[in-house]
Structure formats: C-alpha cells, structure tokens
Amino acid sequence: MHFRRQANFTRVCLPPDNHRKVDRSMYLPLYVEPRDVAQAEALIDEFGKAAGIEAADRAEHSRNVGNHMNFCRWRQIERLIIMLSVETTLGTIH
C-alpha cells in the first residue's frame, strides 16, 4: 500500500487484483464530522452494499441543484462508506 500526501487528502493505492487490472486508488478524507459517521452508518444499515451508490446519488443530486456544500459532504460520506466496507486495515496500526 502506498501513501502520498496531496492537499488535504491522503491518496491510498491498494494493490490490484491478480485477475484483472483495476485502479484501486481513492482519496480518503482526513476529517469527517461525527454526524457524517452517523449518516454513513445509517446508509449502510438501510441500503447495505448499495450504501455507497446511495451516497453518490445524493452527492450528484446536490451538485445538480447547485448545493456544492452538500455535494462535498456526500462525497466524503461516500468515501467513508468505502473505508468502512474495506476488509483491510488502512493507515497506521498503533
């Protein structure tokens, strides 16, 4: 796993699958508010594996109506859902 610091995000490059070449990199949030964690958990409870898609849909809707603050928030929640769904440890283990 490789880490590069860019602006306010940490870029994480996960190793690709052996069976196919996939860009498994993503930008992870450095900070989310407690309400965002609660919202991510609520989406996971309600939508299961489709929670990330739901968050992405909400982000797109916010962008389409011109609400850039909610667009950014929902994108962060989408990334948080991905982080919570990954079955590997990301970052430093203390």
Side-chain angles (χ1 to χ4, degrees):
M1 199 177 296
H2 306 283
F3 294 93
R4 286 194 311 255
R5 181 100 164 113
Q6 293 181 345
N8 292 328
F9 296 96
T10 301
R11 185 172 172 81
V12 175
C13 299
L14 300 174
D17 291 274
N18 292 332
H19 304 288
R20 59 187 179 152
K21 292 188 177 193
V22 177
D23 181 14
R24 305 272 311 260
S25 63
M26 65 180 168
Y27 288 95
L28 301 176
L30 291 178
Y31 176 78
V32 291
E33 296 181 18
R35 70 181 178 128
D36 297 336
V37 176
Q39 186 67 59
E41 290 175 343
L43 287 176
I44 291 170
D45 289 343
E46 184 175 347
F47 295 98
K49 291 182 178 184
I53 295 170
E54 179 64 23
D57 288 345
R58 292 179 186 197
E60 185 176 342
H61 172 74
S62 294
R63 184 184 60 202
N64 290 341
V65 298
N67 189 336
H68 68 280
M69 295 300 286
N70 272 339
F71 167 75
C72 294
R73 179 174 170 260
W74 283 113
R75 290 291 292 165
Q76 290 286 72
I77 291 172
E78 178 187 1
R79 291 178 184 109
L80 180 59
I81 290 169
I82 292 168
M83 286 177 55
L84 293 172
S85 302
V86 174
E87 293 184 15
T88 187
T89 303
L90 299 174
T92 304
I93 301 172
H94 295 279

